[in-house]
Amino acid sequence: MSNPIPIEFNSDIDELRNCFPSNTGSTATQSLFDNSNIYKILSSEQFDDQLDQVDHEFDQLNEQMKNVLLNDDFKPSLISAFQADMSSYITHEKLTKNSRRMQYEYENAKPKEREYVFMTFIKNNIVNLSLDKYMHYILEKIIEVGPPLYRNIILDQIFNRINKLITDLYACKVMQKGLEIMASYPQDSQIQFQRYVNFILEDNNLKLYTDKIGNQIFQKCLELFDGKNLHNLLLILDKYILNQQQIELSTDQYGCLIVNKIIDILPKQIDQNSKQVANDIIMRVIENSSCLIRRQYSNYIIQQILERGQESHKTLLLDKYLIKDFVQMSVDKYGSNVAEKAIIYSGPKWRQKLWEEEVSVSEESFRKLVNDQFANYPIQRLYEYLTQEYRAEFLEYLSKLHESNFLNHHGLIVWKFAVVNFNIKRFTQKVNSNLNFQITSFQDKNKQISQQQVNQQFINNNQYQQYQQFIQQQYQQQYQQPMYNYWIQQQNPQQTYDYQQYQAFLMQNTMMFYQQQQMYPLSQQFYQNYQNEQQNNAQIMQTLKMVQHQSD
C-alpha cells in the first residue's frame, strides 16, 4: 500500500522564513531577504495599502493634466499635425500636404486644443512663420477662424517689423488677410486696425507704391477702406498720378496697378468725396491717353478703362481720343494692344465709323495698316467684328491689293485670315442650312410614315371588317341554315310556323358566336405590322435627336 500524500501545515510565511540562508545552515552571504521582519513587508494588507496610495497619486496627476489640456475628449491629431516635419529637404508636395493638414485640423479643433497649439508652436515664432512659404498659411487661418486675442497678437508682432515684412511676398499676404478680417470685424481689433491705417496713410511710403510686393497692400486698402480713410488715401495717391511729382505711378511697372485699382473701385464707392477724387484721376488719364497708350506699362491703364471703366469715361475716351488716333496707335508696339481692346469693347456704330473715317478713307492708309507688323492684329480684329456688308467691302480691298502684289508678309497673313474667316462663315451657314434641310426632311418623312401607318391601320381595319363580314356570311351559309333546319325538325309538324321563336333562337346562337370571336386573339400578321411600325418610330426619333445635337 502506497504512502499517503503528506499534508503541509506550515503557512506561506513559515515556508519563506525557512528558505532564508541563515535558517538552512548555509555559508552564503546574507541577502536582503535574510531579515526577520521581511514577512511584515510582504504581507497582503500592506501591499494593498501601497496600491491604494499609488492609485491616489495617479488620480491627482490626472486631475492636474485635465486642467491643462488632456481630457477625455482630447484628439491628438492637431498636435501631431503641427509636429510634422517641415524641413526644406522635403518635397514640395509633402510640405503642401502638411500645411493643408495643419489648416484643416486647426479649423476643426476645440478651443483648448487651439490654445495649446498657439502657445506651444505659434506665439514665439510668428515672424519666422510669416516669412515661410508654407507656414504663413497657418497664420492666415488663425487670423480668419481663431479668437480675436490670437489674431491681435499676430498682427501686433508683424506690425513691429512691418518695414521689413511688408516687402516680403508671404508676410504681405498675412497682412492682407489681417486687414480684410479687421475691416470686417473692427470692434475686435480697433487698436491694431488703427495702427495699420495710420501707417498706410503716411506720406513717406513712396518706395512702397512702386515696390513689387508693397503696392499690393495699397491695392487691398483701396478695396477695404471706406469713408474718410479711403478719401485720405486717394488724396495721397492723387499727388503721384500725372502731377509732375518725383515719382509717376501711371508709367511705373507696379505703380500702374494702383491706378488700375482706382478705376476698378470707382463704380463701387458710395462716398461722394472719394468718387470726386477718383473721377479727377481718371479724367487726367483720359486727357493724356495719346501719350499713355504708347508706354510699356501705362497702356494697361487705358485698357482697364475700356474693360471695366464707367460708360461715360469709355465713351469719352473712344469718341474724342482713340478714334482720331487709331492709325498712329495701331502701328505702335504697345498702342496696338489698346487698339484691339477698343474694337472689342466698343459698339457696332463706333466700328462702322472707324471703318468709314479712318481705315477705308484711302487705299494708302488701308495698305499701311494691313502691312504693318503691329497694326495687322487690330485690323484682323476689326474684320471679325464688322458686319457682313463691311466685311465684304474689306475683303474686296484686300483682294485688290493681293492682285496688285502690294501685300507683304503681314498683309498676306491678314488676307489669308479674311479669306478663311469668310469661308468658315459660309461653311457654317451651309452646314446650318443642311441641318435645317435634314431636320425638315426627317420631319416630312416622319409625317409620311405616320400617315402611312394611319392608312395601313385603316386598311387593316377594313380588311378585318371584310374578314368579319366574310365570317358572318360563312356563318349564315354554314351555320344559320343547318340551325334553321335543326329548329324546324324539332318543331311539331302539326303546329303552325312561329317566326318570332326562330328569331330568338337565332339571336342566342349569334351572341355565342361573337363571344367566341372576341376571345380569339388578333391575327399574327396584324401584330407583326404593329411591331415594325414601333421600331420605325424609334429610329426616326433617334435620328432627329442626333441632328438637333449637331445643329446646336
Side-chain angles (χ1 to χ4, degrees), residues 79-91:
I79 294 179
S80 62
F82 273 83
Q83 289 176 343
D85 191 0
M86 298 296 289
S87 302
S88 58
Y89 60 83
I90 301 179
T91 61

Side-chain angles (χ1 to χ4, degrees), residues 488-512:
I488 291 296
Q489 292 176 2
Q490 289 182 348
Q491 299 298 322
N492 191 353
Q494 298 180 355
Q495 293 180 353
T496 60
Y497 174 75
D498 190 355
Y499 182 75
Q500 292 182 354
Q501 291 181 2
Y502 169 72
Q503 289 291 337
F505 176 78
L506 187 62
M507 183 65 69
Q508 181 180 1
N509 286 275
T510 304
M511 291 177 64
M512 292 175 62

Side-chain angles (χ1 to χ4, degrees), residues 229-375:
N229 292 332
L230 178 61
H231 181 250
N232 292 335
L233 179 58
L234 288 172
L235 288 176
I236 295 173
L237 297 175
D238 180 59
K239 300 177 183 179
Y240 306 104
I241 302 175
L242 300 172
N243 267 329
Q244 299 181 356
Q245 294 293 329
Q246 52 184 338
I247 65 169
E248 177 55 53
L249 298 182
S250 62
T251 57
D252 184 77
Q253 180 178 3
Y254 305 109
C256 67
L257 301 177
I258 296 179
V259 184
N260 286 346
K261 183 61 65 174
I262 294 175
I263 298 170
D264 190 26
I265 66 170
L266 178 59
K268 306 175 184 178
Q269 302 309 321
I270 301 176
D271 183 29
Q272 191 63 31
N273 295 328
S274 301
K275 279 189 175 182
Q276 184 62 40
V277 178
N279 184 72
D280 293 341
I281 294 174
I282 296 174
M283 290 302 298
R284 285 204 305 273
V285 170
I286 294 175
E287 292 170 359
N288 294 273
S289 59
S290 59
C291 176
L292 296 177
I293 58 179
R294 292 171 175 80
R295 297 294 186 93
Q296 182 177 1
Y297 303 111
S298 58
N299 74 89
Y300 294 108
I301 301 176
I302 307 300
Q303 296 183 43
Q304 183 77 357
I305 296 176
L306 293 172
E307 292 181 23
R308 300 186 180 182
Q310 291 185 327
E311 287 298 326
S312 59
H313 295 150
K314 186 188 302 185
T315 303
L316 177 63
L317 178 63
L318 288 169
D319 295 341
K320 190 174 181 179
Y321 296 95
L322 296 187
I323 194 169
K324 296 179 180 180
D325 200 26
F326 183 81
V327 177
Q328 291 76 14
M329 173 176 61
S330 299
V331 298
D332 185 76
K333 179 179 179 180
Y334 306 110
S336 60
N337 299 324
V338 180
E340 283 193 67
K341 289 295 176 67
I343 294 170
I344 294 173
Y345 291 100
S346 60
K349 293 183 179 180
W350 190 86
R351 300 187 193 105
Q352 178 181 346
K353 183 179 179 182
L354 175 65
W355 169 256
E356 295 175 348
E357 297 182 2
E358 298 296 331
V359 179
S360 64
V361 64
S362 65
E363 182 180 347
E364 183 180 358
S365 63
F366 183 76
R367 185 172 61 182
K368 178 181 179 181
L369 292 171
V370 169
N371 291 328
D372 188 78
Q373 60 175 335
F374 303 118

Side-chain angles (χ1 to χ4, degrees), residues 77 105 173 262 416 455 478 512:
S77 57
E105 295 294 346
K173 292 181 179 180
I262 294 175
K416 291 178 182 179
N455 296 336
Q478 300 178 5
M512 292 175 62

Side-chain angles (χ1 to χ4, degrees), residues 16-17 19-24 26-38 41-42:
L16 184 63
R17 187 185 299 114
C19 291
F20 292 156
S22 59
N23 295 334
T24 59
S26 174
T27 58
T29 305
Q30 293 185 356
S31 64
L32 178 64
F33 294 98
D34 194 9
N35 191 343
S36 59
N37 296 326
I38 192 65
I41 299 175
L42 298 177

